[in-house]
Amino acid sequence: MKRIVHALGISLLSLGPLTGCFDRVDLEDASLSLVAGVDITEDHRTMSYTSIPVFSKAEKKSQELKVVANTQREGRGKLDAFTVGTFNGRKIKVIALSKRFVQETPDWFRYMDIYFRDGRNPITPRVVVFDGTLDQLFYYHSPNQPILPLMLMGMIKSASERSETVDTTLQELHRQMNEEGQTPFLTEMSIKQDAMIDGTSLLDHKGRYVDMLSMPETVLLRILQKNARQSVGFSLRMPSSLTGSTANEDWVSIATERVKVKIDSAYAGGRFRFFVNLRFSASVVEKLSGLDLDDHQGGAEAACAEELRDKFEALIAKLQRKKVDPVGFGIYARAHHYKRFKQVKENWGEAFGQSEVKVRVSVGFADEGSVK
Amino acid sequence: MKKYAFNEITTMQFIFIISGIAISYGFIEIPQVLYNGAGNSGWITLIFGSLTTTAANLVIVQVMKKMPDGTILELLAKYAGKWVGRAAAIVLSAYFLYFAYGGIVYSTRVIKARILQETPAYMTLIMLLIPAYVVARGGIRIVGRYAEVSMGLSLWIPLVFMVVWGHTHWLYLLPVLPEGWRPVLTAVPSTFFYFLGFGATAFLYPFLKNKEKAALGVCCSQLITLLAYLFITLLSFAFFSPGEITKINQLSIYMLKAVELPFLEQVEGLFIVLYLFIFSMSWIPLFLLSSFCMSWLAGRADHRIFLRILLAGTAVFSYFYVPSFNVTYEMGDWLAKFGMAIEYAAPVLLLGYLLLYDAIRGRRRLS
Amino acid sequence: MGILSLFGGKHKRKSQRPSGNPGSQALPDEPFATDLRSNLDKLSELFPDTLDLTVRRLHIRATGQDAALVYIDGLTDKIDINTSIIRPLLMQTGISGEIPIEIGRMIRIYGWNDLTVAVLKGSSVLLVEGSDEAIVMRTGGWPQRNPTDPKMETSLRGAQQGFVETIEQNIAMIRRYLPNRELKFKNFNVGRRGNTQVSIAYLEDVANPDILRELEDRIGRLDIDLIINTGELAELIEDNPYSPFPQLMITERPDAAVSQIAQGRFVVLVDRSPTVLIGPSSFVTFFQNIDDYSTRWSIATFIRMLRFLAFFISISLPAFYIAVTSFNFELVPIKLLITIGTYRGTVPFAPFIEAAFMELTLEMIREAGVRLPSPIGQTVGIVGGIVIGQAIVQAGLISNIMVVVVAFTAISSFILPNLDMVAAVRIIRFSFMVAASLFGIFGLLVGLMILVGHMISLETLGTPFSTPFAPMRFSDWRDTVVRSPLWKLTRRPVGAHPIQTRRQGDNRPKGDG
């Protein structure tokens, strides 16, 4: 019997190569789409873009293509006609959406369905909003940059590690789109002299483009999200009463060591109230004025705190004005005031716009540097 | 040499077999079931489900104490007559086969959907049958060892999920009991399906080396199952926003798709194949038990002939038809019904019958 | 109890073989005649045309009898015969009427069969006029080798003595390590024609008698012409000859053999073979090396882990390469993927062909190196290095990454201390490669599942091969993947099923403090 089993096994294995290998695509035969892009034409038809690395001794290391298609899947079929190998979306690293697409296509998020439905597609590609037409991005070749996917990945990674932009993956976007208490946000970039990160695009609950945050504002946003990486730096202006010097010289730069964020929520008077309590522990990295930090540490800390509070308040005011909540205050509201939240969950952005947010900031200097 | 010395299973093997059968695909499916039933407090439901199951499992142990040297089939044959035993053998054999088939089809479907999309499903399924034969051929004690190894080889799973930790939002777990206790309690029966498999106790009991530790083993295995489920449930509740949790299939696998390790990307592919060690616990022991029932029915000592028939039959059948995902879920619903009758209700009735039987016989003897 | 047998394990040996040694049973032993002449006639009838058979007729001075000394020239020690047998017989004047022989080990025999065996095995036989018995004297002096350092299992710190081709010497070497009354040797004669002496060595108060019985049973049942080497015996008595895994360890080191005896295992010595069998061996014993115990435990532990890692790498790395380059490249980080792709882009073969080709080349080079005399062997290494490392890649036939993979695999398999295990690894590696080329990572894992399933089903001498992992025995883990400090190894491994488990007391060094 054993022999029969063995014979069976062996014949099965040897039969395999003849019949099997259904899923086999050798790496060099696959056209791995590493960057996917979606744009719209003038007459509002969607366009698919892709960037594929070329595995040969050719001079050009990647191939960029665009087609007009109704769905992403149809686009893939069309793209396949252009490529040497089999078109393959299993390794997409970046999805670029043109700003116009995000602004003008209602419910554009459904175009992303293919990435979620196909079990082999990754959900980790970074999603970026590109300010301009995608032609600009995909046919942009800077001699001193690596191929497009590596360039984009590198830019997003380094900027998000400095907290200057957000690191929104496709899955994160999916979560945000399906989250009542938070609105989505994406990395925004453009090509000016060279490709560059601009900051963060803010979207409303439906995914419509609302506004953008600059890089410094994004830093604040990520602190509020309790998602700030490493240390972040601020250059703050001290009141001249403290420094006793001219306006150009009263800057102090600090780098945070630790930030404690506490957000409390309450419901009173028909609207939500949030209390944001921020405690910074920071080190001084630069000081232009003759301010004596030993003598005036308390004063300087308070001044920094005030500066920071203004920044945060300005940010939150902007968000409330635009009725978007990328911080996720709604999540706090739901967790602590479920009954009230249920009444407004259909349009939390609106409710957030009317709520009251109080910010309290305190700063403590942990290190003043090696010079007085 | 003790003749059956090497045919015994240790308490640890017993624990791992029972919890392995239960965890197998429950680990992938249970978060969603709980959320659908009881919202973000589903984990409370889970605890109730586990307690109920432990009780039901202990009832089986209690029943089996009446017959320490035989399986449930011998017990039935002794107390209720030969034909009852035979009928039970047929029913249980069919039940275990159905269970095993459901498990293997589910795994095939997961692999088909996420790893081998173009390979015909029957090929994947047949590939899975080969290790099943290699292991189940050796009998209970080899399956016991397999349970140990597969659990041991899966200890990395919690570690991988720890990487997901960075993407969690623990506020999603609040508020506790947003809609009160009702949904939590009504959802309890829906969890039973994912605890099924403890009925194997009725067959494993005679092989246990330390029978007095059976009850302890049952508690341990249910605790392991509960902990595994709690872990994955809490993690996925914190990972997914309430809006999306109902929109995604197989939450546990999906969560891993968000993981990027510096040396490995898209970990979920590797996870699914490595998880096959646990998946396989939902069919290997059950194919064995099914063939065991058959061989008991036929009065033959060697279960392997029936095992071969079963596996070959499954392979041939699969060549023509492999259920789709939706049919698999439907099969699961049926299995849940059978399972609740066979593993939860029947033992209680049986225990009642046995107590009554002993009481009447005891009175007769007195008079 | 019937149901317990239902789930029964495997059936033991296939068929019942006729027991005993048919060679000696075939004709009933014919007694000697009392007449020397007819005995000598019979002798020449039994050994016709045997040029190296020497029959020396002489007159025993002490008793005044005629006698004949029979031996085979090449198998005996001539000096011994001359000085210790012939000279006393011829010269010595007896007092008590005994035959004067100055040799320690002599036995009396009464039949022709015994005589034949004795003469053919190198003893001298003295036939005496008027006596129906013959005297066998151990005068063995066949070509022999002195114990030299083991060739295949070299050791840094261990003894520099390996087993030799004479069982007496091998037994002596084992006894040197274990001067203990409990060390027992059970002897068998195996082979109708070969008549090879096979001895089982064990510690009677430690080793499990059930396993001994099993082992005796299996050796006793052998019905075979001739056993030349230990490996043949291993294949004949192991539990599952279809398995790629060796189930009985073969070693040429007396110290390794003795350390296993001390743990409660059995050692089977085969005459004329410079290696011995150790059983029951489990999977982990193939990863242990005698040096582990004489290096510092932390380093030994590190090396042990390295070996297990190497085992895993060498069975699965090429298969993994195939899987990620033809099926599952989403697993590879993007930068590495682009690198691999750039190299693969110029290679005309599919990954499986590429890998199979390279692995086969490697096996050929290895096999060529094994059989060639060492001066030429080095050339093979150079040719292999140039062919594999340089030419193939430059010609664009194989990608650089593949060369790295092959080299890595080869180095990993060199780390494994046991040759039989390395052989098993090669077979497994190729089957994994086939599986991976069909189903990618899924195929690799199914292969792994089959391997695990096979390993846990495997038994050696009725004990599980996969102990202490399955069945899990945590107490044995101290000497598996890790090598705990020696003073922690107070109990013999349960995997050897010893009947006396305590090995040592508390020997933890206390130091001066």
Side-chain angles (χ1 to χ4, degrees), chain B residues 4-18 140-149 204-214 216-218 220-221, chain C residues 464 467-474 494 497:
Chain B
Y4 303 119
F6 291 136
N7 224 347
E8 291 170 338
I9 56 171
T10 62
T11 313
M12 200 192 296
Q13 290 173 343
F14 172 72
I15 293 172
F16 286 156
I17 293 179
I18 300 289
I140 274 281
R141 97 201 122 111
I142 303 294
V143 168
R145 285 183 208 164
Y146 183 76
E148 279 176 321
V149 172
L204 300 179
Y205 189 78
F207 296 93
L208 263 179
K209 205 184 264 170
N210 298 317
K211 296 200 171 46
E212 61 279 11
K213 282 195 186 157
L216 181 74
V218 162
C220 280
S221 66
Chain C
T467 181
F469 300 117
M472 226 174 265
R473 294 188 175 113
F474 289 114
V494 189
H497 293 275

Side-chain angles (χ1 to χ4, degrees), chain A residues 13-85:
Chain A
L13 285 183
S14 49
L15 242 155
L18 303 175
T19 60
C21 306
F22 297 95
D23 280 279
R24 206 187 102 194
V25 181
D26 292 344
L27 174 59
E28 65 277 9
D29 295 337
S31 293
L32 286 178
S33 168
L34 295 183
V35 184
V38 189
D39 201 345
I40 45 173
T41 57
E42 292 301 323
D43 54 345
H44 286 92
R45 296 188 63 193
T46 55
M47 280 191 293
S48 288
Y49 286 76
T50 189
S51 166
I52 296 164
V54 177
F55 296 136
S56 71
K57 292 229 159 87
E59 187 71 15
K60 204 158 150 277
K61 289 290 176 207
S62 65
Q63 183 187 11
E64 278 76 26
L65 298 166
K66 71 165 173 180
V67 291
V68 177
N70 292 323
T71 66
Q72 290 281 292
R73 188 70 189 81
E74 193 195 65
R76 276 186 191 193
K78 288 189 178 175
L79 286 170
D80 210 355
F82 288 97
T83 57
V84 180

Side-chain angles (χ1 to χ4, degrees), chain B residues 1 6-7 12 74 111 116 124 130 140-142 145-146 148-149 207 265-266 270 273-274 292 300-301 304, chain C residues 3-4 6-9 11 210 330-331 333 441-442 445-446 449-450 456-457 459 462 464 470-472 474:
Chain B
M1 204 182 292
F6 291 136
N7 224 347
M12 200 192 296
E74 268 95 11
I111 289 162
L116 296 173
T124 314
I130 301 174
I140 274 281
R141 97 201 122 111
I142 303 294
R145 285 183 208 164
Y146 183 76
E148 279 176 321
V149 172
F207 296 93
E265 286 178 1
Q266 282 165 274
L270 205 58
V273 290
L274 284 173
F292 173 67
R300 294 181 61 143
R304 285 183 294 175
Chain C
I3 60 113
L4 288 179
L6 269 179
F7 270 137
H11 302 299
D210 294 332
E330 64 268 19
L331 290 174
I441 195 116
F442 169 72
L445 199 96
V446 169
M449 278 174 87
I450 296 176
I456 58 177
S457 315
E459 313 235 306
M472 226 174 265
F474 289 114

